[in-house]
Every structure is written in structure tokens, then in C-alpha cells.
């Protein structure tokens, strides 16, 4: 008997054939966050059989689990919107239901669209259903099916056990480059010697009168009471902003440093530390900040927010220089004007703006090349969202949800184009792809 070595992350098409075939089609998108949901809607709207696999109970990813404000839609310092298409359709659907409003950010990323995350879940459901996307929730991709260097499906774990998904193109929108990692793509990964953005547990407080304390005053109080040692406040700035619900603020205050979010033990400890810090920030806010005297913890995100983990090293790696010099690319499939927002720098956040390279917003933006979504050697796979190919600094600019949705739309459209034409996804005709994106409302 020949012993076949067991590969924990990859299987051949023959091995995959031993599992129940749950779906067979054109485009399988893994991960239903901002990038993945947009990718699936785009692929399905272009007439391809599309599956969206998400391990959580709803779509939206970090956008519905952790946050409530889309950034990246506008370039700070200018009034121009730089993202359209599906992202803007989502904003309009939220606004039409009175579930979103534009909020001028007082200290960094420019105008954001603050929304009700519960309504966003429904909006994504409706967009996916309307486009004809098959959605599998509570399903986690666990192994990649590879024919040589070509990805041709995944194995997933579902409530009914394992199953086989066969697809012409797979889009990795897992945030953690989970599929690219399993497929053996070149990746940049968290390491002890490399600074990784900290994790944040977000939470909401109800019973607040937010207008009684400005952001500047809140930051001053954090410094005063943090420095005195009365409270353990690892971050001395950050946001506690009004939401779509009266008297409710959403916070982005806690900061868990030095964590490799791809290490299961470290991630588990970070969850506990995020909860501990949340309770401490609530104590500080209610005891020291005007407007919070009667506030109470209305809810915490179901999981800690991960800003940065594994990233693809793709056909092109977006750099700090590309961002700060507002570089244009012939194969741009999305735009970004968001500054480099680096939380890894200690207690404060460092901001460096596109076009100026310093703390002056210019309203300028840069292009995100398609090549940042394309793995170097592996075929049949695209990557979209926060696991795109970018350096740490460039990633700190391009990771906002506005850009993740735009990249997702681009990846989904490209995947559909490749599946329809029987071409390799890395070789899709760029003029056609960009033309389709523009017709579909993308701003390039
Ligand atoms: C604390 C924090 C604050 C931030 N603040 C803002 C902000 O205010 N505004 C803004 O625009 N951006 C903000 N960002 C950045 C932004 O939220 C993220 O970069 C963006 O949401 C990433 O989107 P994504 O679709 O790439 O990944 P995600 O939204 O993380 O989605 C990935 C999805 O893939 C699923 N998944 C993962 N692995 C698998 C698998 N193997 N099988 C099936 N499913 C899988 C996950 O469950 C998840 O739903 C913030 C990020 C953090 C962490």
C-alpha cells in the first residue's frame, strides 16, 4: 500500500471527490465581509453562478460585527467621492431606510457614512438575494482544492459536516488571506520582528448625551486620567461617536498590542484583554466624562476587530510611496484617498495624507492596481479586501471598508469575466474589466 502524505490545508481534485459535492459553479467567494459580499454581488450580476461562503451568521464581516462607519468613500480635504458602484448602492439603501448619515470626521479619515449595522446585515442579504448569489452561512472553508498550481475549489465545514465546493474562480475575501495561505501563495504574515496594527474591541454605550463633550476634550480627559494612573487606558485618543440610535455612542477606544491574530492562542487572549479594557473604558467614561454619567454598556462587538494579519504578496505590492505620491496605475480598479492611519505607533495614531506625505489633507487619491489582487504563481484565485497585496504602511491607508467594497466589486467582476471567457483570471482583458466597472458605477 502506498501511503499518501496528509496535507492539512490542500487536497487534490481526486481527494476532494470523496466529499459530498455541495456546489459546482463559476465563482466561489470565501468570506462575506465588505469585500466578499461586494465581490459575490458583482460576479452574480454579470451572469455567473456565484456562491458566497461565510463562517458567521450574517454578511458584512467586520462591517456588521465590529463597526458602524464606512470610511474611504471620500478623500479627506476634498468634497469628491472616490468610491461608487456597489459601495455607494449600499450607502443609498441604508440612507433610504433612515439607517445612515454622513458624519464629518473631526480628526482623521474624512467624511464617513455612519450606519445601523443591523440594517446593513439586511441590505447585504437583499443585494445578494437580488443578484442571485447562493449564500452559505455558518460555513467555513477549511482546505483548498488544487490541481497543480490552480485553485479549483475548497472544502468547507458546515452544520451538516464537510462538503466540496467546485469553482472556476475562487475569490479569497477572508480578511486573513486564509485561502491564499492554504493555497501556498507568497504572503506577508505577522511576525515577532514586524509591527502589526493593534486589535480593538469595540462597544456601544446607551444613555449618553454626546454633545456635552467634544472629541478634543475627551482626548484631554483620557490623557489626564490615564497619566494619573487612576485608569488603565492604553489608547489616549480614538472615537466615541454618535450613532443612528439616539443617546447611543459607538466607541473605538481599546487597543490590544503585540498580537499575531493568526495564532489561535494569542487571538484568544486578545479577546479576553479586549473585554477587560472595554469595562475599564466604561468605568472611565461614566466616572469622568460629562454626558456619560448615566450611560451603560449597551453591547460589545461579538469578536475583537483585527486590522492587519496575513496579506498576499501579489503581482504588485502597493507601497507607502504609491500612497503618499497619489500614484496612478494603468490597471487601477479602485481609488483611495484615505490617509495612512497607523495605530501601531504607541498610544496615539499617526496620520500621513495622500498627496502631502504629512498631516495636511489634500483631497487627492491614488489608484489600486488589479495586480494587488492577483497571486504570483497560483492560478484560479483572486484576493480582495484587507488581505490585498500592500506593505504595512500602504495597507494602513487602503484597508477602509469603502476600498474593500470597491476591490470586492473589481474582483467579482474580473472573476465573472474570466469564468465566462474561459481565460485565466490573471489574464483578464484590463480595458474590458475597467470599462465594465465604470458602467457599473465604479469611480476609477
Ligand atoms: C477596530 C477596527 C476599526 C476600524 N475602523 C474602520 C472604520 O471606522 N471605517 C472603515 O471603513 N474601516 C475601518 N476598519 C477597517 C475595515 O473595517 C476592514 O479593513 C474591512 O472591514 C475589511 O473588510 P474585508 O471584507 O476585507 O474583511 P472582513 O470584513 O474581516 O470579512 C472577512 C469575512 O471572512 C469570513 N471568513 C474568514 N475566514 C473564513 C473562512 N475560512 N471561511 C469562511 N468565511 C471566512 C469572516 O467571518 C468575515 O466575515 C477598522 C478595522 C478595525 C479592526
Amino acid at each position: 500500500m502506498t501511503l499518501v502524505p496528509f496535507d492539512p490545508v490542500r487536497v487534490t481534485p481526486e481527494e476532494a471527490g470523496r466529499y459530498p459535492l455541495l456546489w459546482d459553479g463559476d465563482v466561489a467567494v470565501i468570506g462575506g465581509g465588505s469585500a466578499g459580499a461586494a465581490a459575490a454581488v458583482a460576479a452574480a450580476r454579470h451572469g455567473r453562478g456565484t456562491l458566497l461562503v461565510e463562517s458567521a451568521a450574517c454578511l458584512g464581516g467586520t462591517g456588521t460585527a465590529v463597526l458602524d462607519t464606512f470610511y474611504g468613500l471620500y478623500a479627506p480635504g476634498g468634497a469628491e467621492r472616490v468610491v461608487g458602484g456597489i459601495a455607494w448602492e449600499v450607502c443609498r439603501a441604508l440612507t433610504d431606510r433612515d439607517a445612515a448619515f454622513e458624519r464629518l470626521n473631526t480628526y482623521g479619515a474624512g467624511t464617513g457614512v455612519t450606519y445601523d449595522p443591523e440594517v446593513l446585515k439586511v441590505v447585504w442579504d437583499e443585494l445578494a438575494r437580488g443578484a442571485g448569489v447562493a449564500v452559505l452561512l455558518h460555513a467555513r472553508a477549511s482546505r483548498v482544492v488544487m490541481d497543480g498550481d490552480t485553485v479549483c475549489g475548497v472544502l468547507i465545514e458546515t452544520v451538516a459536516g464537510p462538503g466540496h465546493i467546485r469553482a472556476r474562480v475562487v475569490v479569497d475575501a477572508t480578511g486573513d488571506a486564509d485561502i491564499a495561505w492554504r493555497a501556498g501563495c507568497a504572503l506577508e504574515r505577522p511576525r515577532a520582528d514586524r509591527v502589526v496594527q493593534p486589535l480593538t474591541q469595540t462597544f456601544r454605550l446607551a444613555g449618553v448625551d454626546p454633545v456635552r463633550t467634544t472629541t478634543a476634550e475627551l482626548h484631554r480627559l483620557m490623557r489626564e486620567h490615564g497619566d494619573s494612573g487612576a485608569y488603565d487606558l492604553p489608547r489616549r485618543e480614538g472615537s466615541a461617536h454618535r450613532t443612528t440610535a439616539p443617546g447611543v455612542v459607538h466607541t473605538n477606544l481599546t487597543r490590544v498590542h503585540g498580537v499575531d491574530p493568526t495564532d489561535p492562542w494569542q487571538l484568544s487572549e486578545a479577546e479576553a484583554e479586549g473585554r477587560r479594557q472595554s469595562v475599564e473604558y466604561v468605568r472611565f467614561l461614566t466616572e469622568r466624562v460629562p454626558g456619560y454619567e448615566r450611560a451603560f454598556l449597551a453591547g460589545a462587538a461579538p469578536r475583537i476587530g483585527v486590522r492587519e494579519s496575513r496579506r498576499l504578496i501579489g503581482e504588485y505590492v502597493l507601497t507607502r510611496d504609491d500612497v503618499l505620491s497619489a500614484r496612478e496605475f494603468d490597471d487601477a480598479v479602485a481609488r483611495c484617498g484615505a490617509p495612512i492611519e497607523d495605530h501601531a505607533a504607541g498610544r496615539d495614531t499617526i496620520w500621513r495624507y495622500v498627496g502631502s506625505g504629512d498631516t495636511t489633507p489634500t483631497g487627492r487619491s491614488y489608484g489600486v492596481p488589479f495586480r494587488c489582487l492577483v497571486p504570483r504563481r497560483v492560478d484560479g484565485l483572486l484576493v480582495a479586501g484587507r488581505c490585498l497585496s500592500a506593505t504595512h504602511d500602504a495597507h494602513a491607508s487602503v484597508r477602509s471598508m469603502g476600498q474593500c467594497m470597491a476591490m470586492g466589486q473589481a474582483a467579482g467582476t474580473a472573476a465573472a469575466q474570466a469564468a465566462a471567457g474561459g481565460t485565466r483570471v490573471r489574464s483578464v482583458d484590463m480595458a474590458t474589466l475597467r470599462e465594465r466597472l465604470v458602467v457599473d458605477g465604479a469611480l476609477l
Side-chain angles (χ1 to χ4, degrees):
M1 188 176 85
T2 324
L3 276 180
V4 181
F6 176 73
D7 188 328
V9 292
R10 275 178 292 266
V11 290
T12 63
E14 293 71 36
E15 287 167 325
R18 294 194 211 126
Y19 293 83
L21 186 63
L22 292 185
W23 189 85
D24 187 356
D26 294 315
V27 180
V29 180
I30 315 301
S34 300
V41 169
R45 283 182 179 174
H46 280 281
R48 296 298 108 201
T50 304
L51 172 72
L52 179 54
V53 177
E54 166 56 49
S55 59
C58 64
L59 300 180
T62 303
T64 47
V66 179
L67 300 173
D68 76 341
T69 301
F70 293 133
Y71 284 123
L73 299 166
Y74 293 93
E80 292 291 298
R81 198 155 41 79
V82 296
V83 176
I86 292 171
W88 194 241
E89 203 178 323
V90 168
C91 293
R92 280 207 322 266
L94 290 162
T95 313
D96 286 350
R97 291 165 197 237
D98 259 345
F101 60 90
E102 287 201 345
R103 186 164 58 85
L104 192 68
N105 193 0
T106 46
Y107 83 106
T111 297
V113 173
T114 295
Y115 53 82
D116 180 338
E118 297 307 320
V119 179
L120 178 57
K121 291 176 187 173
V122 175
V123 166
W124 277 128
D125 284 342
E126 289 177 358
L127 284 175
R129 196 179 310 124
V133 176
V135 177
L136 263 185
L137 300 176
H138 300 288
R140 186 169 188 91
S142 52
R143 292 167 84 182
V144 178
V145 186
M146 304 231 11
D147 189 358
D149 280 340
T150 301
V151 173
C152 47
V154 291
L155 296 186
I156 62 173
E157 286 295 334
T158 75
V159 283
H164 174 199
I165 302 297
R166 198 152 55 197
R168 289 180 176 192
V169 182
V170 172
V171 177
D172 180 345
T174 61
D176 292 330
D178 209 14
I179 306 305
W181 168 62
R182 289 166 206 271
C185 296
L187 296 172
E188 183 156 356
R189 38 204 324 169
R191 288 191 320 248
D193 60 341
R194 191 170 68 76
V195 184
V196 175
Q197 299 248 21
L199 285 66
T200 292
Q201 172 69 48
T202 60
F203 59 88
R204 294 184 149 219
L205 287 166
V208 181
D209 180 359
V211 293
R212 283 182 52 207
T213 301
T214 62
T215 303
E217 178 62 3
L218 175 65
H219 291 175
R220 192 192 65 72
L221 288 168
M222 281 182 187
R223 282 194 295 274
E224 179 186 328
H225 295 290
D227 288 349
S228 78
Y231 300 90
D232 176 13
L233 307 178
R235 188 179 183 189
R236 306 281 167 80
E237 28 82 79
S239 117
H241 59 255
R242 72 191 168 95
T243 65
T244 51
V248 176
V249 296
H250 181 99
T251 72
N252 185 336
L253 295 172
T254 68
R255 184 169 271 183
V256 185
H257 273 293
V259 176
D260 172 356
T262 63
D263 177 315
W265 297 107
Q266 291 187 37
L267 184 58
S268 302
E269 275 181 33
E271 294 281 6
E273 173 59 15
R275 278 190 283 274
R276 186 196 69 76
Q277 286 186 19
S278 300
V279 171
E280 180 69 351
Y281 273 95
V282 172
R283 187 172 77 88
F284 157 72
L285 289 163
T286 52
E287 290 178 357
R288 299 292 177 182
V289 182
Y292 287 77
E293 299 86 349
R294 299 160 69 86
F296 58 93
L297 185 59
R303 61 178 171 78
I304 199 162
V306 174
R307 291 185 174 83
E308 182 181 14
S309 57
R310 296 184 205 102
R311 278 193 307 279
L312 182 73
I313 299 175
E315 289 288 354
Y316 186 78
V317 181
L318 193 72
T319 67
R320 177 186 179 91
D321 190 47
D322 296 335
V323 169
L324 297 183
S325 65
R327 188 153 292 147
E328 298 294 345
F329 295 92
D330 289 344
D331 65 335
V333 288
R335 296 202 69 74
C336 180
I340 293 178
E341 178 188 348
D342 200 338
H343 296 257
R347 290 189 191 281
D348 292 340
T349 302
I350 290 180
W351 303 88
R352 290 289 175 269
Y353 282 86
V354 176
S356 70
D358 57 25
T359 51
T360 318
T362 64
R364 293 181 65 194
S365 60
Y366 59 90
V368 181
F370 180 65
R371 285 164 294 155
C372 292
L373 314 183
V374 181
R376 281 194 181 159
R377 179 182 47 85
V378 171
D379 272 319
L381 181 68
L382 287 177
V383 162
R386 75 170 165 84
C387 47
L388 87 160
S389 174
T391 63
H392 167 80
D393 285 348
H395 179 261
S397 160
V398 76
R399 67 192 173 85
S400 291
M401 289 186 279
Q403 279 63 46
C404 288
M405 288 187 274
M407 279 184 251
Q409 181 169 357
T413 307
Q417 194 175 320
T423 50
R424 295 196 310 166
V425 77
R426 65 173 63 254
S427 322
V428 290
D429 181 70
M430 199 43 56
T432 308
L433 174 60
R434 282 168 48 92
E435 206 176 290
R436 282 183 183 165
L437 287 170
V438 170
V439 167
D440 294 342
L443 302 176
L444 302 185

